[in-house]
Amino acid sequence: MNELDMLQEILELKRKRKAIILAHNYQRDEVQDLADFTGDSLELSRTASAIECEVIVFCGVNFMAESAAILSPTKTVVLPEVEACCPMADMIQVERPRQMRAAFPGYAVQPSLVFPVEFSLKDLKKRYPGVPVVSYVNTTAEVKAHSDICCTSANVVKVVESLPGDEVICVPDRNLAMWAQKNTQKKVIAWDGFCHVHDRVRKEDALKAKNEHPGALLMAHPECRMEVLEVADHVTSTSGMLRFAKNSPHTEFIVGTELGLMHRLRKDNPEKIFYPLRKDMICPNMKKTTLKSVYLALKELKTIVSVPEEIRIPAKRALDRMLAI
Ligand code: 13P
Ligand code: SF4
């Protein structure tokens, strides 16, 4: 089947199944163009909980589809590529410790506020009894179920500030936790997880890009290291970057996040210029979904993502608390 026929089939199947296609800002260009809604994690969670449809095709990674299934249990949520996962989300588990150093050669432990990774979330909670747990949406449903509230890169500071007491636990992204720490008076107890796409960027990369494009503003995602965030002109989520670039009088930007965002940035701002912070900021899991996988997902309703009620209900509580902020 050629691409045009496939697009036609997708539209027909979508209508038949009363389906909606959601796509994260990091998806392939053609998948973004096909979607009914594109957005960051927060926008997609909101859309998944509010949208009227029978089927949600979630073009993203597994924790995102899982969040949609948690929020909308009466809808059928399908993840076109079952192996599209987020390695960072798998860096924390409720019970079982993770041996990250084995899985990520070259990985080095970060400074003092970060908790060693060989512990489980339960161990961490035992060590800091009564301290509220904020879990990034990039976590499994089970971790969300054992958290007080969720957050995304768009609202982490607001979420941390909304909690009682002087301390919060923030898992699993050490960089996001450090960003929250920089913007709050509370003590943030961080986990030692990271996104391999953002964490690989160093200060030298940022300075080199700024040097090559002296007129450009550097936008960086808070999953980047603090040394990068410190030299950035604006730190925000993916959709925050879309808004910032659109509203700014500046015409040149260095983009410090996964390269899938370039598509919307360029589409929304044809007169502006966008440079990648690093050309290898590509998330292989986000790129697994193709037009063909969307077509098959709709045709065969695969793979359906569901969460057992005993996990879904407490996980939903944590997501609802975030959405209420
Ligand atoms: P946002 O789109 O929420 O900024 O998240 C980035 C991300 O890495 C999602 O996996
Ligand atoms: Fe996970 Fe990073 Fe990929 Fe986002 S970009 S899905 S955080 S690995």
Side-chain angles (χ1 to χ4, degrees), residues 132-136 144 146-151 158-160 162-163 169 317-323 325:
V133 176
V134 178
S135 66
Y136 195 21
K144 290 183 178 78
H146 284 79
S147 306
D148 295 279
I149 188 166
C150 291
C151 76
K158 267 195 195 156
V159 167
V160 164
S162 76
L163 294 166
I169 292 169
R317 203 175 305 136
L319 279 167
D320 281 343
R321 282 190 187 134
M322 170 187 85
L323 292 172
I325 286 179

Coordinates of all heavy atoms in Angstrom, one line a residue, residues 132-136 144 146-151 158-160 162-163 169 317-323 325:
P132 N 6.2 13.8 51.1 CA 5.4 13.5 49.9 C 6.3 13.2 48.7 O 7.4 13.7 48.5 CB 4.6 14.8 49.7 CG 5.3 15.9 50.5 CD 6.1 15.2 51.6
V133 N 5.7 12.3 47.9 CA 6.4 11.8 46.7 C 5.8 12.4 45.4 O 4.6 12.2 45.2 CB 6.4 10.3 46.6 CG1 7.0 9.8 45.2 CG2 7.1 9.6 47.7
V134 N 6.6 13.1 44.7 CA 6.2 13.6 43.4 C 6.8 12.7 42.3 O 8.0 12.6 42.2 CB 6.7 15.1 43.1 CG1 6.3 15.6 41.8 CG2 6.3 16.0 44.2
S135 N 5.9 12.1 41.5 CA 6.5 11.3 40.4 C 6.3 12.0 39.1 O 5.2 12.4 38.8 CB 6.0 9.9 40.4 OG 4.7 9.8 40.1
Y136 N 7.3 12.1 38.3 CA 7.3 12.6 37.0 C 6.3 11.7 36.2 O 6.2 10.5 36.5 CB 8.7 12.5 36.4 CG 9.0 13.3 35.1 CD1 8.2 14.4 34.7 CD2 10.1 13.0 34.3 CE1 8.5 15.1 33.6 CE2 10.4 13.7 33.2 CZ 9.6 14.7 32.8 OH 9.9 15.4 31.7
K144 N 3.4 5.5 40.0 CA 2.4 6.6 40.2 C 1.5 6.2 41.3 O 1.1 7.1 42.2 CB 1.6 6.8 38.9 CG 2.3 7.5 37.8 CD 1.4 7.7 36.6 CE 2.2 8.4 35.4 NZ 3.0 7.5 34.6
H146 N 2.1 4.6 43.9 CA 2.7 4.8 45.2 C 3.2 6.2 45.4 O 4.1 6.5 46.3 CB 3.9 3.8 45.3 CG 3.4 2.4 45.6 ND1 2.9 1.6 44.6 CD2 3.3 1.7 46.8 CE1 2.6 0.4 45.1 NE2 2.8 0.5 46.4
S147 N 2.7 7.2 44.6 CA 3.1 8.6 44.7 C 2.0 9.4 45.2 O 0.8 9.0 45.1 CB 3.6 9.1 43.4 OG 4.6 8.2 42.8
D148 N 2.3 10.6 45.8 CA 1.2 11.5 46.2 C 0.7 12.3 45.1 O -0.5 12.6 45.0 CB 1.8 12.4 47.3 CG 2.2 11.7 48.5 OD1 1.3 11.4 49.3 OD2 3.4 11.3 48.7
I149 N 1.5 12.6 44.2 CA 1.1 13.5 43.0 C 2.1 13.3 41.9 O 3.2 12.9 42.1 CB 1.1 15.0 43.5 CG1 0.4 15.9 42.4 CG2 2.4 15.5 43.9 CD1 0.0 17.3 43.0
C150 N 1.6 13.5 40.7 CA 2.5 13.4 39.5 C 2.9 14.9 39.1 O 2.3 15.8 39.6 CB 1.7 12.8 38.3 SG 1.5 11.0 38.6
C151 N 3.8 15.0 38.2 CA 4.2 16.3 37.6 C 4.7 16.0 36.2 O 4.9 14.9 35.8 CB 5.3 16.9 38.4 SG 6.9 16.3 38.2
K158 N 5.4 24.2 40.3 CA 4.0 24.4 40.9 C 3.6 23.2 41.7 O 3.0 23.4 42.8 CB 3.0 24.6 39.8 CG 2.7 26.0 39.3 CD 1.5 26.0 38.5 CE 1.4 27.4 37.8 NZ 0.6 27.3 36.6
V159 N 3.9 22.0 41.3 CA 3.5 20.8 42.0 C 4.2 20.7 43.3 O 3.7 20.5 44.4 CB 3.7 19.5 41.1 CG1 3.6 18.3 42.0 CG2 2.7 19.5 40.0
V160 N 5.6 20.9 43.2 CA 6.4 20.9 44.5 C 5.9 21.9 45.5 O 5.7 21.7 46.7 CB 7.9 21.1 44.1 CG1 8.7 21.4 45.3 CG2 8.4 19.9 43.4
S162 N 3.0 23.1 45.8 CA 1.6 22.9 46.3 C 1.6 21.9 47.5 O 0.6 21.8 48.1 CB 0.8 22.3 45.1 OG 1.1 20.9 45.0
L163 N 2.7 21.3 47.8 CA 2.7 20.3 48.8 C 3.0 20.8 50.2 O 3.7 21.8 50.3 CB 3.7 19.2 48.4 CG 3.3 18.4 47.1 CD1 4.5 17.6 46.6 CD2 2.1 17.5 47.4
I169 N 10.0 14.5 47.8 CA 10.8 13.5 47.1 C 10.4 13.6 45.6 O 9.2 13.7 45.3 CB 10.5 12.0 47.6 CG1 11.0 11.8 49.0 CG2 11.1 11.0 46.6 CD1 10.5 10.6 49.7
R317 N -5.4 8.9 41.2 CA -5.5 9.9 42.3 C -4.3 10.9 42.1 O -4.4 12.1 42.1 CB -5.4 9.3 43.6 CG -6.0 10.1 44.7 CD -6.1 9.3 46.1 NE -6.8 8.1 45.9 CZ -6.4 6.9 46.5 NH1 -5.2 6.8 47.1 NH2 -7.1 5.8 46.3
A318 N -3.1 10.3 41.9 CA -1.9 11.1 41.7 C -1.9 12.0 40.5 O -1.5 13.2 40.5 CB -0.6 10.2 41.7
L319 N -2.5 11.4 39.4 CA -2.6 12.2 38.1 C -3.7 13.3 38.3 O -3.5 14.4 37.9 CB -3.0 11.3 37.0 CG -1.8 10.5 36.3 CD1 -2.3 9.4 35.4 CD2 -0.9 11.4 35.5
D320 N -4.8 12.9 38.9 CA -5.9 13.9 39.1 C -5.4 15.1 40.0 O -5.7 16.3 39.7 CB -7.1 13.3 39.8 CG -7.9 12.5 38.8 OD1 -7.8 12.7 37.5 OD2 -8.7 11.6 39.2
R321 N -4.6 14.8 41.0 CA -4.1 15.9 41.8 C -3.3 16.9 41.0 O -3.3 18.1 41.2 CB -3.3 15.3 43.0 CG -4.1 14.8 44.1 CD -3.2 14.4 45.3 NE -4.0 13.7 46.3 CZ -3.7 12.7 46.9 NH1 -2.5 12.2 46.7 NH2 -4.5 12.1 47.8
M322 N -2.5 16.3 40.1 CA -1.7 17.2 39.2 C -2.5 18.0 38.3 O -2.4 19.2 38.2 CB -0.7 16.3 38.4 CG 0.0 17.1 37.3 SD 0.9 16.1 36.2 CE -0.3 15.6 35.0
L323 N -3.5 17.3 37.7 CA -4.4 18.0 36.7 C -5.2 19.1 37.4 O -5.6 20.1 36.7 CB -5.3 17.0 36.0 CG -4.5 16.0 35.1 CD1 -5.5 14.9 34.6 CD2 -3.9 16.8 33.9
I325 N -4.1 21.2 39.5 CA -3.3 22.3 39.8 C -3.3 23.3 38.7 O -3.0 22.9 37.6 CB -1.8 21.9 40.2 CG1 -1.9 21.3 41.6 CG2 -0.9 23.0 40.2 CD1 -0.6 20.8 42.1

